[in-house]
Amino acid sequence: MCGIVGFTGRQQASKILLEGLKKLEYRGYDSAGIAVMDGEKISVNKVRGRIANLEEKTKNGDAVPGTTGIGHTRWATHGAPTEENAHPHLSNDGRFAVVHNGIIENYLTLREELIRDGYHFESETDTEVIVHLIEQYYRGSMSEALIRATNRLRGSYALGVICTEKPDKIYAVREASPLILGIGLEENYFASDVTALVSHTRNVIYLEDGEFAELSPDSVRIYDCRGKAVDKEITRILWDVQAAEKGGYEHFMLKEIMEQPGAVKATITPRVKDNRIAFEELSISREELSDIRKIVITACGSAYYAGCSGKYALEKLCRIPVEVELASELRYSDPLIDEHTLLIVISQSGETADTIAAMKECKARGARTLAIVNVVGSTVAKLADYTVYTWAGPEIAVATTKGFTTQVTVLYMLALYFGDMLGLVGDRYEGILKSLLSLPRCIQHAIDLNAKVSRLAKKYHKSSSIFFIGRNTDYAVALEGALKMKEISYLHAEAYAAGELKHGTIALIEDHQPVIALCCNPAIMEKTLSNIVEVKSRGAEVLALTFRNNRKILSVADDLLFIPDVDALFSAVIEIVPLQLLAYYVAKENGCDIDKPKNLAKSVTVE
């Protein structure tokens, strides 16, 4: 959600800023802008819409000289997506420019105060109060101005600041919003995501809440909220820069769907030693685990559905009750959580605002916390008592694919690991582990089995709405499948537990209504088949997702998607793949912006 870049060095800043902003497009935005210092004054260029418009306005950066600057992609919160509301924002005297990710909760009070003090506002944003506060408190020392200004702010912010009196310096400030420093040779950077940095440097420093940094071409100085110098460790980004490129695919989403066999293998392989699951990063003991009375999984969006999908394996193998809660609801629910609760927190970015807030609330009540995240050094990872990384690599498309499947895979592995630790698996261990190890191969097989899914997309892409139905794990996957369909194709799609059809939903079934039925659990196959017959008798057209050679379904389904034979307990990561492909091709038929769906952001860092 929004993106920030900053650069200071010997090169032309505008080109690097534009390149960095393009790498951050996946985060979601509706306007963009850059501010570059030419040594005497700050030149600001802002546009509505895509970065391509900004490139055109600045002649690909050639029209904006200078070697120090900041850039921003805005996802509108306070004020409409207009050029006036786009970042960067200038101070009244023109000496300062600011870009900001996050929300300033007390901005109205500050705005009224600043207006009384004689400042005028050009925008409707909460951000503009920041740049006027910096101007108000500046007395020659940027560190003092930043400390005094940020002490007045309530909310979340990652800030990038430049000042005409410090012509080769950029300033970065973090509070509850991610911000990363990039360390180069005679040039330094900051950004809200490493994807904006890796083509220039893989050496990064993760700022903590309350810290700010002063960067020049030759130095990086970091301070705490009192202005005391802080020593920080430099981290090396290990994944290849090509991982953030399309690699010949038309869209990042398709590339990331096809990467899932490798991503799931990367999640599993390092944690299998001597034919046993080995979570070396977890220090939880058998005694501590035995003290757990319930597991609560909390997350938002697809990560929440990953929790729904993994719940069944955890309960079956560990025999511990598992609740799955939306983080945005859990944080306000006065939850019944104590020291006998294990809270599993799932977030691809590790920066999801509601998830972080729910995590803090549960930790305050005594819960032990285990994070499943993809981004090393993220806020969720640092807050957790235990952290398991998915190692999925960078995911650029806004709609998650390999992020989801690797999260579910980690839950499967935890289920076996904990179940074995509690002595509940016994001689079934070898067979269960074999099923887990087969998942990468089965995902690839699912891709191969559905090579004709684009033809089905041509049939269903004009539908006004699509229903997904399933039971048990099939229902959990239906939730994620429906989300994929609506978020990238903009078709109305809803998932229902198939057994609930007669409790209201079936009233919506009429002639030619598309229904996608998930039938991948042999134990409840007959029940799901009955539900398919129910909707067929009312005129529905049924696209069934099932395992190969399921002859019973051939007589009732109109169209079929297939997965290979797989243990039903671990089928979610296989089932979702054909549904991801279907959503992708439906969106393509509808001419949608697949990697950057309208109004959506990759990382939701504000409430």
Side-chain angles (χ1 to χ4, degrees):
M1 179 172 289
C2 302
I4 282 179
V5 293
F7 171 80
T8 179
R10 315 300 183 203
Q11 303 182 59
Q12 188 170 348
S14 56
K15 292 184 179 296
I16 291 172
L17 297 174
L18 290 168
E19 177 193 336
L21 292 179
K22 290 176 74 172
K23 296 287 178 61
L24 297 175
E25 282 190 295
Y26 72 95
R27 293 173 67 91
Y29 71 103
D30 43 46
S31 59
I34 59 173
V36 177
M37 199 147 43
D38 65 4
E40 296 181 359
K41 60 182 179 62
I42 298 172
S43 173
V44 175
N45 286 269
K46 304 191 287 188
V47 296
R48 289 184 60 189
R50 295 304 187 196
I51 291 165
N53 300 339
L54 187 58
E55 289 177 315
E56 182 179 356
K57 184 174 183 178
T58 63
K59 295 181 170 54
N60 293 316
D62 291 334
V64 188
T67 58
T68 301
I70 53 178
H72 189 267
T73 52
R74 177 177 186 254
W75 194 82
T77 52
H78 296 75
T82 64
E83 191 171 304
E84 291 76 19
N85 290 330
H87 300 208
H89 291 289
L90 275 173
S91 60
N92 285 174
D93 63 10
R95 286 186 297 167
F96 307 93
V98 167
V99 291
H100 164 223
N101 285 356
I103 296 283
I104 304 303
E105 295 170 359
N106 61 331
Y107 87 100
L108 282 175
T109 301
L110 294 172
R111 184 184 178 103
E112 291 169 0
E113 174 189 310
L114 287 162
I115 290 172
R116 288 196 300 270
D117 290 340
Y119 292 89
H120 66 267
F121 285 75
E122 303 289 342
S123 75
E124 305 166 89
T125 68
D126 56 335
T127 300
E128 198 176 351
V129 301
I130 301 169
V131 74
H132 297 325
L133 284 172
I134 293 171
E135 178 186 344
Q136 185 178 62
Y137 291 128
Y138 182 74
R139 299 292 184 274
S141 169
M142 277 299 295
S143 59
E144 182 179 341
L146 290 172
I147 290 170
R148 294 187 66 185
T150 54
N151 280 341
R152 301 291 311 281
L153 305 178
R154 292 203 311 270
S156 62
Y157 47 86
L159 306 180
V161 185
I162 54 176
C163 170
T164 56
E165 294 186 12
K166 314 289 182 181
D168 67 342
K169 290 183 170 61
I170 53 175
Y171 298 86
V173 188
R174 171 184 166 140
E175 180 61 48
S177 190
L179 200 56
I180 302 157
L181 311 182
I183 313 304
L185 182 62
E186 295 190 329
E187 56 189 32
N188 290 301
Y189 314 76
F190 61 71
S192 45
D193 195 309
V194 293
T195 54
L197 303 175
V198 290
S199 62
H200 300 287
T201 180
R202 295 189 189 182
N203 296 321
V204 301
I205 294 174
Y206 295 92
L207 287 184
E208 305 288 343
D209 287 350
E211 292 179 343
F212 69 94
E214 177 189 88
L215 297 88
S216 69
D218 302 311
S219 67
V220 174
R221 295 184 174 90
I222 301 169
Y223 305 91
D224 65 15
C225 60
R226 297 179 300 276
K228 182 181 178 181
V230 178
D231 290 327
K232 301 285 287 187
E233 180 182 355
I234 294 177
T235 301
R236 180 77 174 169
I237 301 301
L238 297 178
W239 47 265
D240 196 335
V241 66
Q242 277 72 41
E245 304 293 342
K246 288 182 182 176
Y249 288 95
E250 186 173 355
H251 297 95
F252 278 110
M253 183 177 179
L254 182 59
K255 173 178 179 278
E256 289 156 8
I257 291 171
M258 299 304 177
E259 286 176 342
Q260 287 177 113
V264 169
K265 185 176 181 179
T267 300
I268 295 173
T269 302
R271 298 181 170 112
V272 178
K273 306 287 176 62
D274 300 322
N275 291 316
R276 311 293 290 187
I277 299 293
F279 279 104
E280 296 176 349
E281 61 267 55
L282 296 183
S283 58
I284 190 168
S285 67
R286 186 184 187 282
E287 290 71 27
E288 289 173 312
L289 190 60
S290 299
D291 193 45
I292 298 298
R293 298 289 176 263
K294 72 174 177 180
I295 296 171
V296 175
I297 301 174
T298 192
C300 299
S302 289
Y304 169 75
Y305 296 141
C308 295
S309 300
K311 161 188 165 76
Y312 298 95
L314 282 164
E315 288 190 331
K316 188 163 185 71
L317 297 180
C318 302
R319 307 311 297 163
I320 300 174
V322 179
E323 301 171 7
V324 188
E325 302 282 353
L326 287 164
S328 55
E329 292 294 320
L330 180 63
R331 63 183 293 192
Y332 297 117
S333 68
D334 191 16
L336 296 174
I337 282 173
D338 57 21
E339 68 274 12
H340 300 293
T341 304
L342 176 64
L343 182 77
I344 298 179
V345 180
I346 309 175
S347 172
Q348 193 282 141
S349 68
E351 302 293 350
T352 310
D354 284 315
T355 303
I356 292 168
M359 186 179 185
K360 289 178 178 178
E361 174 68 24
C362 294
K363 279 177 71 73
R365 293 168 184 253
R368 277 163 276 194
T369 54
L370 189 160
I372 300 174
V373 296
N374 189 34
V375 179
V376 176
S378 57
T379 300
V380 166
K382 291 176 180 176
L383 284 174
D385 298 312
Y386 318 102
T387 299
V388 178
Y389 291 109
T390 57
W391 303 126
E395 188 177 63
I396 306 302
V398 168
T400 186
T401 51
K402 63 180 180 177
F404 174 86
T405 49
T406 53
Q407 288 164 357
V408 179
T409 299
V410 169
L411 290 171
Y412 290 162
M413 297 178 74
L414 287 172
L416 179 55
Y417 181 72
F418 289 157
D420 183 48
M421 189 182 293
L422 293 169
L424 299 174
V425 179
D427 58 8
R428 295 180 295 154
Y429 191 97
E430 184 178 343
I432 295 171
L433 179 60
K434 184 178 180 181
S435 294
L436 277 172
L437 294 175
S438 73
L439 292 179
R441 172 177 51 81
C442 290
I443 293 173
Q444 185 60 58
H445 201 177
I447 293 171
D448 297 340
L449 283 171
N450 294 286
K452 297 180 180 179
V453 67
S454 58
R455 298 183 188 177
L456 291 174
K458 293 180 183 297
K459 176 178 178 179
Y460 291 102
H461 79 99
K462 292 184 179 179
S463 306
S464 59
S465 67
I466 299 176
F467 293 125
F468 290 68
I469 61 172
R471 291 171 178 261
N472 200 266
T473 51
D474 288 346
Y475 172 53
V477 178
L479 290 165
E480 172 64 7
L483 178 61
K484 282 291 145 297
M485 183 65 72
K486 55 192 165 191
E487 68 184 345
I488 65 167
S489 73
Y490 314 146
L491 297 184
H492 174 260
E494 292 295 334
Y496 294 96
E500 293 296 299
L501 280 169
K502 290 187 286 292
H503 297 279
T505 311
I506 205 163
L508 300 174
I509 304 300
E510 54 190 22
D511 285 348
H512 307 298
Q513 170 64 55
V515 174
I516 298 177
L518 282 68
C519 316
C520 299
N521 190 333
I524 51 175
M525 180 62 62
E526 297 297 336
K527 297 291 186 183
T528 307
L529 284 172
S530 295
N531 298 134
I532 293 175
V533 170
E534 285 178 338
V535 297
K536 284 285 292 182
S537 66
R538 287 158 178 81
E541 291 190 36
V542 174
L543 168 57
L545 172 64
T546 190
F547 49 83
R548 289 185 308 165
N549 305 317
N550 180 6
R551 297 183 183 278
K552 291 182 179 180
I553 208 166
L554 293 175
S555 61
V556 293
D558 298 283
D559 299 296
L560 293 167
L561 292 168
F562 293 108
I563 64 167
D565 295 336
V566 65
D567 186 335
L569 191 62
F570 303 138
S571 65
V573 296
I574 315 301
E575 293 180 60
I576 191 58
V577 175
L579 300 181
Q580 292 169 347
L581 287 167
L582 180 65
Y584 171 82
Y585 283 109
V586 166
K588 187 177 178 182
E589 286 292 327
N590 288 343
C592 299
D593 191 347
I594 293 173
D595 287 336
K596 301 184 286 292
K598 62 184 180 183
N599 302 328
L600 296 182
K602 183 67 174 175
S603 178
V604 182
T605 56
V606 296
E607 185 179 354

